[in-house]
Amino acid sequence: MPGIVIVGAQWGDEGKGKATDWLGDRVDFCVRYSGGNNAGHTVVVGGETFTLHLLPSGILNPGCRCVIGNGVVIDPGVLYEELDGLAARGVHVEHPLVSAAAHIITPYHQTIDKVTERFLGKRRIGTTGRGIGPAYSDKVNRVGVRVQDLLDADLLAAKVAASLENKNQLLVKVFNRRPIEAGPIVEALLAYGERLRPHVVDAARVLNGALDAGEVVLFEGAQAHHLDVDHGTYPYVTSSNPTAGGACTGTGVGPTRIDRVVGIVKAYTTRVGEGPFPTELTDADGATLRARGNEYGATTGRPRRCGWFDPLVVRQAAMVNAFTDIFLTKLDVLTGFERIPVCVGYDVPGLGRVGEWPLTEAQVEAATPVYEDIPGWTEDISGARTFDELPDACRAYVLRLEALCGTRISGVGVGPGREQTIIRHDLL
Ligand code: GDP
Ligand code: IMO
Ligand code: MG
């Protein structure tokens, strides 16, 4: 099973980092294919916590080679902050290979991200402020700066100047800000280019070669299905394609080389930032989920909005991404609830009761969830390592979720640690 894609099935923070790291010692390559340092992937190894934003989560596994694909937007300052940060903690990792075609996030992208959000006011997206949307806009507008441009001083200077031309008009005339100077940005990017130079590759060639040789390649998704610019809750989405198809366009590997698509699914639901969330809880149960699940953003520290499990959300993701397996995370967080409501449909004005993800933005906004109650359990499950060790009620909850999602649940997370995982079906 050499090509495996990991995709968040909800609105992010499902535990993709843990799932990737857990598979990491059995994979040869771990590759990020979309997003940038808007991601925050947490890996807990031997009681030590690592939060990775841009580096693939497989990097903590010696022997796993890491690649940053063309679909990623790279803030080189963040890349080196992460690499140097790990080194300062005594963790020596290999520099990832970086696609020559990946786009660069510059300081002007961050500025535009922030001023745009401020300008939008109530209509803001609640972005991470990392410059993600503006960097992808430049890519699509064909005025982006790519990794390969950092290796050529003249080309880089010309591209940055061209890109800043209309941005400065916008900053000065619309946003009432000072114009941004190209010189210092070019200088800083060239310095990063020198550090990057030995690691810049045709990532498609590297990864296809690895697959040809029978090596295992893990494509680590960032964000999630419902944050996908095409398939998510637009406009409250990120600006890339975290869905499984993005693994192909974001790395240069064809779809016939993907053997498994693993949906990472939290045993309840969370979301950071603005946008619709039908099963959101604003009551004490929501606060309890946040406290027990430590639901605070790994990137921005914002409290995550919390709610009950929503299989309509997950089934939609399972269909579009063709999940072969689900890895269910944070089951332990539900311990102690006497009853656990699970959404079984929505009441939508004008439509009545629906059992599938609605067609339009307005219908999702107006949806009221309908619940069934599943009995809870009180036993501590964080030490369980086999499915049979789980209490009866807990197993019943997992099996009900499996039936509602229509995809087999192959792994279950019962704690943040690498080893706190129950395997029901091996992925490799
Ligand atoms: P990602 O963005 O999908 O990688 O997820 P985050 O790292 O942003 O958020 C998931 C959080 O849940 C992290 O703090 C993880 O350490 C933690 N986590 C992952 N799996 C489990 C689990 O099964 N149980 C518990 N209690 N925590 C988990
Ligand atoms: P991981 O990989 C959760 C959300 C932001 C905002 C929207 C757009 O850790 O699951 P952006 O900065 O991308 O333009 O913000 O997307 N968002 C995430 N939410 N987890 C993430 O990543 C996210 N990355 C972006 O909160 O609502
Ligand atoms: Mg996260």
CSV table of all heavy atoms in Angstrom, one decimal, residues 65-116:
chain,number,residue,atom,x,y,z
A,65,ARG,N,11.8,10.4,5.3
A,65,ARG,CA,12.3,11.6,4.6
A,65,ARG,C,11.1,12.5,4.3
A,65,ARG,O,10.0,12.0,3.9
A,65,ARG,CB,12.9,11.2,3.3
A,65,ARG,CG,14.4,10.7,3.5
A,65,ARG,CD,14.9,9.8,2.3
A,65,ARG,NE,14.2,8.5,2.3
A,65,ARG,CZ,14.3,7.6,1.4
A,65,ARG,NH1,15.0,7.9,0.3
A,65,ARG,NH2,13.7,6.5,1.5
A,66,CYS,N,11.3,13.8,4.4
A,66,CYS,CA,10.1,14.7,4.3
A,66,CYS,C,10.3,15.6,3.1
A,66,CYS,O,11.4,16.0,2.7
A,66,CYS,CB,10.0,15.5,5.6
A,66,CYS,SG,9.4,14.5,7.0
A,67,VAL,N,9.1,15.9,2.6
A,67,VAL,CA,9.0,16.7,1.3
A,67,VAL,C,7.9,17.8,1.5
A,67,VAL,O,6.9,17.5,2.1
A,67,VAL,CB,8.7,15.8,0.1
A,67,VAL,CG1,8.6,16.7,-1.1
A,67,VAL,CG2,9.7,14.7,-0.1
A,68,ILE,N,8.2,19.0,1.0
A,68,ILE,CA,7.2,20.0,1.0
A,68,ILE,C,6.8,20.2,-0.5
A,68,ILE,O,7.7,20.6,-1.3
A,68,ILE,CB,7.7,21.3,1.6
A,68,ILE,CG1,8.0,21.1,3.1
A,68,ILE,CG2,6.6,22.4,1.5
A,68,ILE,CD1,8.5,22.3,3.9
A,69,GLY,N,5.6,19.9,-0.8
A,69,GLY,CA,5.2,19.8,-2.2
A,69,GLY,C,4.8,21.2,-2.8
A,69,GLY,O,4.7,22.2,-2.1
A,70,ASN,N,4.6,21.1,-4.1
A,70,ASN,CA,4.3,22.4,-4.9
A,70,ASN,C,3.0,23.1,-4.4
A,70,ASN,O,2.9,24.3,-4.6
A,70,ASN,CB,4.3,22.1,-6.4
A,70,ASN,CG,3.2,21.1,-6.7
A,70,ASN,OD1,3.5,19.9,-6.6
A,70,ASN,ND2,2.0,21.6,-7.1
A,71,GLY,N,2.1,22.3,-3.8
A,71,GLY,CA,0.8,22.9,-3.4
A,71,GLY,C,0.9,23.7,-2.1
A,71,GLY,O,-0.1,24.3,-1.8
A,72,VAL,N,2.0,23.7,-1.5
A,72,VAL,CA,2.2,24.3,-0.2
A,72,VAL,C,2.6,25.8,-0.4
A,72,VAL,O,3.3,26.1,-1.4
A,72,VAL,CB,3.2,23.6,0.7
A,72,VAL,CG1,3.5,24.3,2.0
A,72,VAL,CG2,2.7,22.2,1.0
A,73,VAL,N,2.2,26.7,0.5
A,73,VAL,CA,2.8,28.0,0.4
A,73,VAL,C,3.8,28.1,1.6
A,73,VAL,O,3.4,27.8,2.8
A,73,VAL,CB,1.7,29.1,0.5
A,73,VAL,CG1,1.1,29.3,-0.9
A,73,VAL,CG2,0.7,28.9,1.5
A,74,ILE,N,5.0,28.5,1.3
A,74,ILE,CA,6.1,28.5,2.3
A,74,ILE,C,6.5,29.8,2.8
A,74,ILE,O,6.9,30.7,2.0
A,74,ILE,CB,7.3,27.8,1.7
A,74,ILE,CG1,7.0,26.4,1.2
A,74,ILE,CG2,8.5,27.8,2.6
A,74,ILE,CD1,8.1,25.7,0.5
A,75,ASP,N,6.4,30.0,4.1
A,75,ASP,CA,7.0,31.2,4.7
A,75,ASP,C,8.4,30.8,5.2
A,75,ASP,O,8.5,30.0,6.1
A,75,ASP,CB,6.2,31.7,5.9
A,75,ASP,CG,6.7,32.9,6.6
A,75,ASP,OD1,7.9,33.1,6.5
A,75,ASP,OD2,5.9,33.7,7.2
A,76,PRO,N,9.4,31.2,4.4
A,76,PRO,CA,10.8,30.6,4.7
A,76,PRO,C,11.2,31.0,6.1
A,76,PRO,O,12.0,30.2,6.8
A,76,PRO,CB,11.7,31.2,3.7
A,76,PRO,CG,10.9,32.3,3.0
A,76,PRO,CD,9.5,32.1,3.3
A,77,GLY,N,10.8,32.1,6.7
A,77,GLY,CA,11.1,32.4,8.1
A,77,GLY,C,10.6,31.4,9.0
A,77,GLY,O,11.3,31.0,9.9
A,78,VAL,N,9.4,30.9,8.8
A,78,VAL,CA,8.8,29.9,9.6
A,78,VAL,C,9.5,28.6,9.5
A,78,VAL,O,9.7,27.9,10.4
A,78,VAL,CB,7.3,29.8,9.3
A,78,VAL,CG1,6.6,28.6,10.0
A,78,VAL,CG2,6.5,31.1,9.7
A,79,LEU,N,9.8,28.3,8.2
A,79,LEU,CA,10.5,27.0,8.0
A,79,LEU,C,11.8,26.9,8.9
A,79,LEU,O,12.0,25.9,9.6
A,79,LEU,CB,10.9,26.9,6.5
A,79,LEU,CG,11.7,25.6,6.1
A,79,LEU,CD1,10.9,24.4,6.3
A,79,LEU,CD2,12.1,25.8,4.7
A,80,TYR,N,12.6,28.0,8.8
A,80,TYR,CA,13.8,28.0,9.6
A,80,TYR,C,13.6,28.1,11.1
A,80,TYR,O,14.4,27.6,11.9
A,80,TYR,CB,14.8,28.9,9.0
A,80,TYR,CG,15.3,28.3,7.7
A,80,TYR,CD1,15.0,28.9,6.4
A,80,TYR,CD2,16.1,27.1,7.7
A,80,TYR,CE1,15.3,28.2,5.2
A,80,TYR,CE2,16.4,26.5,6.5
A,80,TYR,CZ,16.1,27.1,5.3
A,80,TYR,OH,16.4,26.4,4.1
A,81,GLU,N,12.6,28.9,11.5
A,81,GLU,CA,12.3,29.0,12.9
A,81,GLU,C,11.9,27.5,13.4
A,81,GLU,O,12.4,27.2,14.5
A,81,GLU,CB,11.0,29.8,13.0
A,81,GLU,CG,10.9,30.7,14.2
A,81,GLU,CD,9.7,31.6,14.0
A,81,GLU,OE1,9.8,32.6,13.3
A,81,GLU,OE2,8.6,31.2,14.5
A,82,GLU,N,11.2,26.8,12.6
A,82,GLU,CA,10.8,25.4,13.1
A,82,GLU,C,12.0,24.5,13.1
A,82,GLU,O,12.3,23.8,14.1
A,82,GLU,CB,9.8,24.8,12.2
A,82,GLU,CG,8.4,25.4,12.4
A,82,GLU,CD,7.3,24.6,11.9
A,82,GLU,OE1,7.5,23.4,11.5
A,82,GLU,OE2,6.1,25.1,11.9
A,83,LEU,N,12.8,24.5,12.1
A,83,LEU,CA,14.0,23.7,12.0
A,83,LEU,C,15.0,24.0,13.1
A,83,LEU,O,15.5,23.2,13.9
A,83,LEU,CB,14.7,23.8,10.7
A,83,LEU,CG,14.0,23.0,9.5
A,83,LEU,CD1,14.7,23.4,8.2
A,83,LEU,CD2,14.1,21.5,9.7
A,84,ASP,N,15.3,25.4,13.3
A,84,ASP,CA,16.2,25.8,14.3
A,84,ASP,C,15.6,25.5,15.7
A,84,ASP,O,16.3,25.2,16.7
A,84,ASP,CB,16.5,27.3,14.2
A,84,ASP,CG,17.2,27.6,12.8
A,84,ASP,OD1,17.7,26.6,12.2
A,84,ASP,OD2,17.3,28.7,12.4
A,85,GLY,N,14.3,25.7,15.9
A,85,GLY,CA,13.6,25.4,17.1
A,85,GLY,C,13.8,24.0,17.6
A,85,GLY,O,14.0,23.7,18.7
A,86,LEU,N,13.7,23.1,16.6
A,86,LEU,CA,13.8,21.6,16.9
A,86,LEU,C,15.3,21.4,17.3
A,86,LEU,O,15.6,20.7,18.3
A,86,LEU,CB,13.5,20.7,15.8
A,86,LEU,CG,12.0,20.6,15.5
A,86,LEU,CD1,11.8,19.8,14.2
A,86,LEU,CD2,11.2,19.9,16.6
A,87,ALA,N,16.2,22.0,16.6
A,87,ALA,CA,17.7,21.8,16.9
A,87,ALA,C,18.0,22.3,18.3
A,87,ALA,O,18.7,21.7,19.0
A,87,ALA,CB,18.5,22.5,15.8
A,88,ALA,N,17.4,23.5,18.6
A,88,ALA,CA,17.6,24.0,20.0
A,88,ALA,C,17.1,23.1,21.1
A,88,ALA,O,17.6,23.2,22.2
A,88,ALA,CB,17.0,25.4,20.0
A,89,ARG,N,16.1,22.3,20.7
A,89,ARG,CA,15.6,21.4,21.7
A,89,ARG,C,16.3,20.1,21.7
A,89,ARG,O,16.0,19.1,22.3
A,89,ARG,CB,14.1,21.1,21.5
A,89,ARG,CG,13.2,22.2,21.9
A,89,ARG,CD,11.8,22.0,21.5
A,89,ARG,NE,11.1,20.9,22.3
A,89,ARG,CZ,9.8,20.7,22.2
A,89,ARG,NH1,9.0,21.3,21.4
A,89,ARG,NH2,9.3,19.7,22.9
A,90,GLY,N,17.4,20.0,20.9
A,90,GLY,CA,18.2,18.8,20.8
A,90,GLY,C,17.6,17.8,19.9
A,90,GLY,O,18.1,16.6,19.9
A,91,VAL,N,16.6,18.2,19.1
A,91,VAL,CA,16.0,17.2,18.1
A,91,VAL,C,16.6,17.5,16.8
A,91,VAL,O,16.4,18.6,16.2
A,91,VAL,CB,14.5,17.4,18.1
A,91,VAL,CG1,13.9,16.4,17.1
A,91,VAL,CG2,13.9,17.3,19.5
A,92,HIS,N,17.4,16.6,16.3
A,92,HIS,CA,18.1,16.8,15.0
A,92,HIS,C,17.4,16.1,13.9
A,92,HIS,O,17.3,14.9,13.9
A,92,HIS,CB,19.6,16.5,15.1
A,92,HIS,CG,20.3,17.4,16.1
A,92,HIS,ND1,20.6,18.7,15.8
A,92,HIS,CD2,20.6,17.2,17.4
A,92,HIS,CE1,21.1,19.3,16.8
A,92,HIS,NE2,21.1,18.4,17.8
A,93,VAL,N,16.9,16.9,13.0
A,93,VAL,CA,16.1,16.3,11.9
A,93,VAL,C,16.7,16.7,10.6
A,93,VAL,O,17.5,17.7,10.5
A,93,VAL,CB,14.6,16.9,11.9
A,93,VAL,CG1,13.9,16.5,13.2
A,93,VAL,CG2,14.5,18.4,11.7
A,94,GLU,N,16.4,15.9,9.6
A,94,GLU,CA,17.0,16.2,8.2
A,94,GLU,C,16.2,17.4,7.6
A,94,GLU,O,14.9,17.4,7.8
A,94,GLU,CB,16.8,15.0,7.4
A,94,GLU,CG,18.1,14.5,6.7
A,94,GLU,CD,17.8,13.3,5.9
A,94,GLU,OE1,17.5,13.5,4.7
A,94,GLU,OE2,17.9,12.2,6.4
A,95,HIS,N,16.8,18.3,6.9
A,95,HIS,CA,16.1,19.4,6.2
A,95,HIS,C,15.2,18.7,5.2
A,95,HIS,O,15.6,17.8,4.4
A,95,HIS,CB,17.2,20.2,5.5
A,95,HIS,CG,16.6,21.5,5.0
A,95,HIS,ND1,15.6,21.7,4.1
A,95,HIS,CD2,17.0,22.8,5.3
A,95,HIS,CE1,15.4,23.0,3.9
A,95,HIS,NE2,16.2,23.7,4.6
A,96,PRO,N,13.9,19.2,5.1
A,96,PRO,CA,13.0,18.5,4.1
A,96,PRO,C,13.4,18.9,2.7
A,96,PRO,O,14.1,20.0,2.5
A,96,PRO,CB,11.6,19.2,4.5
A,96,PRO,CG,11.9,20.4,5.2
A,96,PRO,CD,13.2,20.2,5.9
A,97,LEU,N,13.1,18.1,1.8
A,97,LEU,CA,13.2,18.5,0.4
A,97,LEU,C,12.1,19.4,0.0
A,97,LEU,O,11.0,19.3,0.5
A,97,LEU,CB,13.2,17.2,-0.5
A,97,LEU,CG,14.3,16.2,-0.3
A,97,LEU,CD1,14.0,14.9,-1.1
A,97,LEU,CD2,15.6,16.8,-0.6
A,98,VAL,N,12.4,20.4,-0.8
A,98,VAL,CA,11.3,21.4,-1.1
A,98,VAL,C,11.1,21.5,-2.6
A,98,VAL,O,12.1,21.7,-3.3
A,98,VAL,CB,11.8,22.8,-0.5
A,98,VAL,CG1,10.8,23.9,-0.8
A,98,VAL,CG2,12.0,22.7,1.0
A,99,SER,N,9.9,21.5,-3.0
A,99,SER,CA,9.6,21.6,-4.4
A,99,SER,C,10.0,23.0,-4.9
A,99,SER,O,9.7,24.0,-4.3
A,99,SER,CB,8.1,21.5,-4.6
A,99,SER,OG,7.7,21.9,-5.9
A,100,ALA,N,10.6,23.0,-6.1
A,100,ALA,CA,11.0,24.3,-6.7
A,100,ALA,C,9.8,25.1,-7.1
A,100,ALA,O,9.9,26.3,-7.3
A,100,ALA,CB,11.9,24.0,-8.0
A,101,ALA,N,8.6,24.4,-7.2
A,101,ALA,CA,7.4,25.1,-7.7
A,101,ALA,C,6.5,25.6,-6.6
A,101,ALA,O,5.5,26.2,-6.9
A,101,ALA,CB,6.6,24.2,-8.6
A,102,ALA,N,6.9,25.3,-5.3
A,102,ALA,CA,6.0,25.8,-4.2
A,102,ALA,C,6.1,27.3,-4.2
A,102,ALA,O,7.2,27.9,-4.5
A,102,ALA,CB,6.5,25.2,-2.9
A,103,HIS,N,5.0,28.0,-3.7
A,103,HIS,CA,5.0,29.4,-3.7
A,103,HIS,C,5.5,29.9,-2.3
A,103,HIS,O,5.4,29.2,-1.3
A,103,HIS,CB,3.6,29.9,-4.0
A,103,HIS,CG,3.4,30.0,-5.5
A,103,HIS,ND1,3.3,31.2,-6.2
A,103,HIS,CD2,3.3,29.0,-6.4
A,103,HIS,CE1,3.1,30.9,-7.5
A,103,HIS,NE2,3.1,29.6,-7.6
A,104,ILE,N,5.9,31.2,-2.3
A,104,ILE,CA,6.5,31.8,-1.1
A,104,ILE,C,5.5,32.8,-0.5
A,104,ILE,O,4.9,33.6,-1.2
A,104,ILE,CB,7.8,32.5,-1.5
A,104,ILE,CG1,8.8,31.5,-2.0
A,104,ILE,CG2,8.3,33.3,-0.3
A,104,ILE,CD1,9.4,30.6,-1.0
A,105,ILE,N,5.4,32.7,0.8
A,105,ILE,CA,4.6,33.7,1.6
A,105,ILE,C,5.6,34.8,2.0
A,105,ILE,O,6.7,34.5,2.6
A,105,ILE,CB,4.0,33.2,2.9
A,105,ILE,CG1,3.0,32.0,2.5
A,105,ILE,CG2,3.2,34.3,3.6
A,105,ILE,CD1,2.4,31.4,3.8
A,106,THR,N,5.3,36.0,1.6
A,106,THR,CA,6.2,37.1,1.9
A,106,THR,C,5.6,38.0,3.0
A,106,THR,O,4.4,37.9,3.2
A,106,THR,CB,6.5,38.0,0.7
A,106,THR,OG1,5.3,38.7,0.4
A,106,THR,CG2,6.9,37.2,-0.5
A,107,PRO,N,6.3,38.9,3.6
A,107,PRO,CA,5.7,39.8,4.6
A,107,PRO,C,4.5,40.6,4.0
A,107,PRO,O,3.6,40.9,4.7
A,107,PRO,CB,6.9,40.8,5.0
A,107,PRO,CG,8.1,40.0,4.7
A,107,PRO,CD,7.8,39.1,3.5
A,108,TYR,N,4.6,40.9,2.7
A,108,TYR,CA,3.4,41.7,2.2
A,108,TYR,C,2.1,40.9,2.1
A,108,TYR,O,1.0,41.4,2.2
A,108,TYR,CB,3.7,42.4,0.8
A,108,TYR,CG,4.3,41.6,-0.3
A,108,TYR,CD1,3.5,40.8,-1.1
A,108,TYR,CD2,5.7,41.7,-0.6
A,108,TYR,CE1,4.1,40.1,-2.2
A,108,TYR,CE2,6.2,41.0,-1.6
A,108,TYR,CZ,5.4,40.2,-2.4
A,108,TYR,OH,6.0,39.5,-3.5
A,109,HIS,N,2.3,39.6,2.0
A,109,HIS,CA,1.1,38.7,2.1
A,109,HIS,C,0.5,38.7,3.5
A,109,HIS,O,-0.8,38.8,3.6
A,109,HIS,CB,1.4,37.3,1.7
A,109,HIS,CG,1.8,37.1,0.2
A,109,HIS,ND1,3.1,36.7,-0.2
A,109,HIS,CD2,1.2,37.5,-0.9
A,109,HIS,CE1,3.2,36.7,-1.5
A,109,HIS,NE2,2.0,37.2,-2.0
A,110,GLN,N,1.3,38.7,4.5
A,110,GLN,CA,0.8,38.8,5.8
A,110,GLN,C,0.1,40.1,6.1
A,110,GLN,O,-0.9,40.1,6.7
A,110,GLN,CB,2.0,38.6,6.8
A,110,GLN,CG,2.5,37.2,6.8
A,110,GLN,CD,3.9,37.1,7.5
A,110,GLN,OE1,4.0,37.8,8.6
A,110,GLN,NE2,4.8,36.3,7.1
A,111,THR,N,0.8,41.2,5.6
A,111,THR,CA,0.1,42.5,5.8
A,111,THR,C,-1.2,42.6,5.2
A,111,THR,O,-2.2,43.0,5.8
A,111,THR,CB,1.1,43.6,5.2
A,111,THR,OG1,2.3,43.5,5.9
A,111,THR,CG2,0.5,45.0,5.5
A,112,ILE,N,-1.3,42.1,4.0
A,112,ILE,CA,-2.6,42.2,3.3
A,112,ILE,C,-3.7,41.3,3.9
A,112,ILE,O,-4.8,41.6,4.1
A,112,ILE,CB,-2.4,41.8,1.8
A,112,ILE,CG1,-1.7,43.0,1.1
A,112,ILE,CG2,-3.7,41.6,1.1
A,112,ILE,CD1,-1.2,42.8,-0.2
A,113,ASP,N,-3.2,40.1,4.4
A,113,ASP,CA,-4.2,39.2,5.1
A,113,ASP,C,-4.8,40.0,6.3
A,113,ASP,O,-6.0,40.0,6.5
A,113,ASP,CB,-3.4,38.0,5.6
A,113,ASP,CG,-4.3,36.8,6.1
A,113,ASP,OD1,-5.5,37.0,6.2
A,113,ASP,OD2,-3.7,35.8,6.4
A,114,LYS,N,-3.9,40.6,7.1
A,114,LYS,CA,-4.4,41.3,8.3
A,114,LYS,C,-5.2,42.5,8.0
A,114,LYS,O,-6.3,42.7,8.6
A,114,LYS,CB,-3.2,41.7,9.2
A,114,LYS,CG,-2.6,40.5,9.9
A,114,LYS,CD,-1.4,40.7,10.7
A,114,LYS,CE,-0.8,39.4,11.1
A,114,LYS,NZ,0.7,39.5,11.2
A,115,VAL,N,-4.8,43.3,7.0
A,115,VAL,CA,-5.6,44.6,6.8
A,115,VAL,C,-7.0,44.2,6.1
A,115,VAL,O,-8.0,44.8,6.4
A,115,VAL,CB,-4.9,45.6,5.9
A,115,VAL,CG1,-3.7,46.2,6.6
A,115,VAL,CG2,-4.5,45.1,4.6
A,116,THR,N,-7.0,43.1,5.3
A,116,THR,CA,-8.2,42.7,4.7
A,116,THR,C,-9.2,42.2,5.8
A,116,THR,O,-10.4,42.6,5.7
A,116,THR,CB,-8.0,41.6,3.7
A,116,THR,OG1,-6.9,42.0,2.8
A,116,THR,CG2,-9.2,41.2,2.9
